[in-house]
Amino acid sequence: MYYQQTLDVLKEGVAKFTPITPQIEENLALFAGAKQYRVVTDFSPLTKVADSANDFVKNMLGNANTVSNDWLYTEQNTAGKVANSINEWNAIEEQKDLFPLLEYSAILDERTREDHRELDGVVRPVDDPFWDSFNPPNGYNCRCLLIPTLEGAKDITKTPKVSEEAVPTMFRNNPAKSGKIFTTNHPYLNNTTTAQKRSNFGLGFPNEPKD
């Protein structure tokens, strides 16, 4: 089943870094359900443009390969990075009496996004709301880090204005606080109804009581 395959792959990515709590498992299940729903709705128009059954199958398989392999690998990698940030944030909280500041550090090389390069060197207190939205990863394959910093070692900088292009809304998340690997601002989810999300697109949720 496509939904179960997606869920298993995402859980594998997360489990490498942090225990899968019921809240995280439900969040991953919702993402997997939304992904399956997106695949079904994307494939539906192919039936209208195909000249024959063979053309339909050919078009469907081409799209399915992209969604199943390319996208899913990226999503698994992203889920792992987000899960790892939970451990990193928990460590930050544990030592914030000693290191009350955080410095945003971009990996400055030829692969660095210009938008993330501009965030490099931002220094804010650990408890600043800025980190609720801009805790890395801040994009697919983002390599940015947060560096715990002694008080007085760095000057606190102004809170930067960050554009949607720099950090898309779907990445503005601190999973250690929200309990979510994927937010409802993800394209799979942001155009769906509350009823669809409550039922997980008719698929239900893990550990959900059965009638």
Side-chain angles (χ1 to χ4, degrees), residues 59-70:
N59 291 338
M60 184 183 71
L61 291 176
N63 282 274
N65 184 63
T66 297
V67 174
S68 297
N69 298 325
D70 301 342

Side-chain angles (χ1 to χ4, degrees), residues 2 34-44 64 67 71 188:
Y2 186 79
K35 183 179 175 74
Q36 175 165 298
Y37 176 77
R38 174 70 176 269
V39 170
V40 171
T41 55
D42 282 355
F43 284 169
S44 294
V67 174
W71 294 0
Y188 291 162

Side-chain angles (χ1 to χ4, degrees), residues 86-99 102 126-127 132 148 174 176-177:
I86 295 176
N87 291 336
E88 292 175 346
W89 187 262
N90 287 339
I92 286 169
E93 288 283 359
E94 289 174 2
Q95 59 186 3
K96 68 180 180 182
D97 288 342
L98 181 61
F99 299 102
L102 290 175
V126 170
D127 293 329
D132 293 348
N174 187 325
K177 296 183 178 183

Side-chain angles (χ1 to χ4, degrees), residues 1 11 32 47 62 72 80-81 86 88 98 116 118 133 139 179 204 209:
M1 185 178 181
K11 288 171 68 174
T47 62
L72 188 53
K81 284 179 176 289
I86 295 176
E88 292 175 346
L98 181 61
H116 290 196
E118 292 177 2
S133 297

Side-chain angles (χ1 to χ4, degrees), residues 2-16:
Y2 186 79
Y3 160 76
Q4 191 61 50
Q5 176 197 11
T6 301
L7 181 57
D8 290 344
V9 168
L10 294 176
K11 288 171 68 174
E12 180 183 347
V14 170
K16 293 178 182 177

